[in-house]
Amino acid sequence: MAISYPLTLPTTTGIASIVFTARNTVGLTQSPFTLKQQVQRNAGQRWEATVTLPPMPREEAEEWISFLLKLNGSFGTFLMGDPNGKVPRGAATSYPSDVIAINGAGQTGNTLNLDGATASISDYVKAGDYIQIGGASTTNLYKALNDADSNSSGELTLDIWPNLRSSPTDGGVISGQNAVAQFRLANNQTGFSINQASIYGLSFTAVEAL
């Protein structure tokens, strides 16, 4: 059977710990004489993650080992999000009938205009909520940086990280629940440990697939 990417994470066990890194590309030079600095913010931004799995017997470990081997190093991709961020903190989670959509074509930068929300709701989106744009093969994951209220027309504006990858389509529907990004392994080696009690240990690092 052909392997189709992106893969989904195995569900045989949870994740023991995960470290998410928000990577920015900023150039900084500093005079050795005056210590005056010049700073240049560049466009590159991405999510990175270091994942540690709990100790497990072979029956469970093989599911994860097979998953990692299917990726063929950094060739294949998989979907992953913040396991504690599946449900928004803002009021948006209380209105599942709302269809939150992109409000206006040609948007760029680190703000996102939306509409379709229930009108006049305070903290419709809370700082830290995740926003997903796109389907499984083109998904992009953003984090809201501010609390945002919906206005009387059901519109709201978010400050987000990272910057928009591309200009989204007007009317495109976004998702605020179970939001994920598409990742690939950070290197081409897959390793695992086995101790005297036949317990397996696995961890891996990943970067956002851009």
Side-chain angles (χ1 to χ4, degrees), residues 68-131:
L68 293 170
L69 293 177
K70 286 177 185 176
L71 293 169
N72 290 295
S74 57
F75 175 76
T77 60
F78 61 96
L79 300 177
M80 183 174 66
D82 182 340
N84 289 332
K86 294 181 179 181
V87 178
R89 300 192 309 127
T93 186
S94 302
Y95 300 95
S97 60
D98 290 2
V99 179
I100 313 303
I102 305 298
N103 183 15
Q107 298 187 53
T108 60
N110 63 350
T111 60
L112 183 62
N113 297 316
L114 304 172
D115 60 13
T118 299
S120 304
I121 298 295
S122 298
D123 291 341
Y124 193 86
V125 172
K126 292 282 289 181
D129 284 348
Y130 290 96
I131 302 295

Side-chain angles (χ1 to χ4, degrees), residues 13 51 54 78 109 130 140 169 195:
T13 65
V51 179
F78 61 96
Y130 290 96
N140 291 308
T169 303
N195 66 18

Side-chain angles (χ1 to χ4, degrees), residues 15-37:
I15 291 173
S17 68
I18 182 168
V19 178
F20 279 106
T21 300
R23 175 77 63 185
N24 293 283
T25 55
V26 177
L28 185 149
T29 59
Q30 179 173 283
S31 169
F33 307 107
T34 66
L35 301 183
K36 186 175 181 179
Q37 298 170 336

